[in-house]
Amino acid sequence: MRRSRTPVSPALEAWSTHRTGVADQWTPRQLAYLKGDRTVSVVIPARDEESTVGAIVAAIRACLVEQVELVDEVVVVDSRSSDRTAVVAAAAGARVVGQDEMTRGLPRLDGKGDALWAGLAASTGDLVAFIDADLREFQPHFVTGLLGPLLTDPSVAFVKGFYHRPLVGTSGVEAEGGGRVTELVARPLFNLFWPELAGFVQPLAGEYAGRRDVLERVPFVSGYGVETAMLIDLLEMCGLDALAQVDLGERLHRHQDTEALGRMSGQIMHTVWQRLCRRGLVEETAPPGNLLVQFRRDGSSALPNLDREIVVSDVSVRERPPLAELRPSSSRRAAV
């Protein structure tokens, strides 16, 4: 006997049909023509990514800066790297800025979200595309796919990428094994509290683009809560129809271990809790704990009888206020 399938809401189905594109819909030359007098920045936050960041920058510059004048600047934000990330990125043709350089005089924050905020402050484009620095076999359509809806439809304010994410393990390749935090944490939370966002295939994707006047009006959460907060805040500020997504094909990158994914999940849960507080759905008088306790086998400080080391991490999140509220652009860009 066939089981009945719960129908997708008409609004979600309509949005998915209307606001989902494919990267190869647009060619670089077509977008360069449509760009007109607008400017485009690509921002790449990078921490210890010397093995991949150079190839990404070189591909963008060769195909989208020199061959076709679509991208006006490539900005790499060095997020306190301990390797040669900054040197490699600069040699490939990027303008490299330091995360701490761009946030000097402000409270010190850690993580990806702060690096993204610094990149937005350092860049100058009317349209800003964010690309992760750990991509392997990078192709320029990761940029053109994100820019396509923004350059062809003035009602689109923000575009999120999605893709196939194969997970390579000791037992082989799992075709759709990537995105474990998305499936186990982020997607259930979005469906519970923001069902309008349930149509995003990969809400935590690190590739997205938006209009500067929109991006400068949202806060940037520190750490790995940034993508979750950004979608929620943009939904409330612009409405669902101003958001779009584009299929970018396949994404090959470094996968984090389970312990790191646990810390990422904790930051996402804290971010969701903050947004629920602002909506009045939970009482802020009883905040969740900030510490995540994990157990590591074969650690250097394994406890007797437990045969495991206890690892405690702070998974709380903070946020930079909307850039428009601080108006740091002129002074900080001049410093750069």
Side-chain angles (χ1 to χ4, degrees), residues 23-307:
D24 61 10
Q25 285 180 238
W26 309 280
T27 67
R29 197 167 301 279
Q30 174 192 7
L31 294 179
Y33 173 78
L34 293 172
K35 171 185 160 184
D37 60 358
R38 290 173 287 187
T39 54
V40 175
S41 299
V42 175
V43 172
I44 306 173
R47 181 171 187 171
D48 297 334
E49 301 291 359
E50 66 173 312
S51 64
T52 51
V53 69
I56 296 172
V57 171
I60 295 172
R61 285 201 57 85
C63 299
L64 304 180
V65 177
E66 298 164 5
Q67 184 176 346
V68 175
E69 297 179 358
L70 174 61
V71 172
D72 296 280
E73 64 174 353
V74 181
V75 178
V76 170
V77 181
D78 182 20
S79 183
R80 305 168 189 151
S81 296
S82 59
D83 65 2
R84 298 176 66 253
T85 290
V87 174
V88 171
R95 179 161 66 90
V96 179
V97 299
Q99 178 177 338
D100 293 328
E101 173 189 3
M102 296 307 304
T103 58
R104 188 177 296 119
L106 300 173
R108 178 185 170 98
L109 299 183
D110 296 318
K112 180 182 179 182
D114 192 48
L116 292 168
W117 189 94
L120 181 62
S123 63
T124 61
D126 301 312
L127 305 179
V128 183
F130 296 99
I131 303 292
D132 278 348
D134 64 343
L135 302 183
R136 304 195 316 270
E137 300 179 22
F138 174 84
Q139 297 296 324
H141 73 263
F142 269 64
V143 175
T144 56
L146 297 173
L147 295 175
L150 294 169
L151 289 171
T152 57
D153 189 339
S155 67
V156 174
F158 180 82
V159 181
K160 191 82 165 177
F162 69 93
Y163 23 63
H164 299 291
R165 296 179 65 189
L167 176 63
V168 180
T170 55
S171 59
V173 178
E174 188 177 346
E176 297 295 337
R180 290 161 288 174
V181 174
T182 293
E183 298 304 325
L184 298 175
V185 179
R187 194 181 308 286
L189 288 171
F190 277 124
N191 277 268
L192 281 171
F193 301 113
W194 292 275
E196 305 98 317
L197 296 174
F200 280 93
V201 178
Q202 279 161 344
L204 303 185
E207 282 66 46
Y208 40 89
R211 303 188 189 278
R212 174 171 295 278
D213 61 346
V214 172
L215 294 171
E216 288 193 350
R217 287 188 287 144
V218 295
F220 278 58
V221 168
S222 64
Y224 289 106
V226 60
E227 281 88 13
T228 299
M230 190 176 294
L231 272 185
I232 295 170
D233 294 344
L234 287 171
L235 173 68
E236 295 180 353
M237 184 176 74
C238 303
L240 182 61
D241 197 52
L243 313 180
Q245 63 180 349
V246 171
D247 187 348
L248 300 178
E250 184 175 74
R251 187 187 203 270
L252 301 175
H253 65 114
R254 183 187 68 253
H255 292 277
Q256 301 196 56
D257 59 31
T258 303
E259 187 176 300
L261 296 180
R263 294 191 294 270
M264 185 187 302
S265 300
Q267 290 185 332
I268 291 169
M269 290 179 181
H270 264 268
T271 301
V272 167
W273 179 83
Q274 289 180 349
R275 266 55 191 171
L276 291 174
C277 283
R278 294 176 187 180
R279 295 181 64 189
L281 297 180
V282 296
E283 294 186 9
E284 206 165 353
T285 55
N290 292 336
L291 301 181
L292 175 66
V293 175
Q294 297 174 299
F295 298 92
R296 182 181 298 163
R297 291 291 300 268
D298 303 321
S300 59
S301 304
L303 297 179
N305 302 324
L306 191 62
D307 193 30

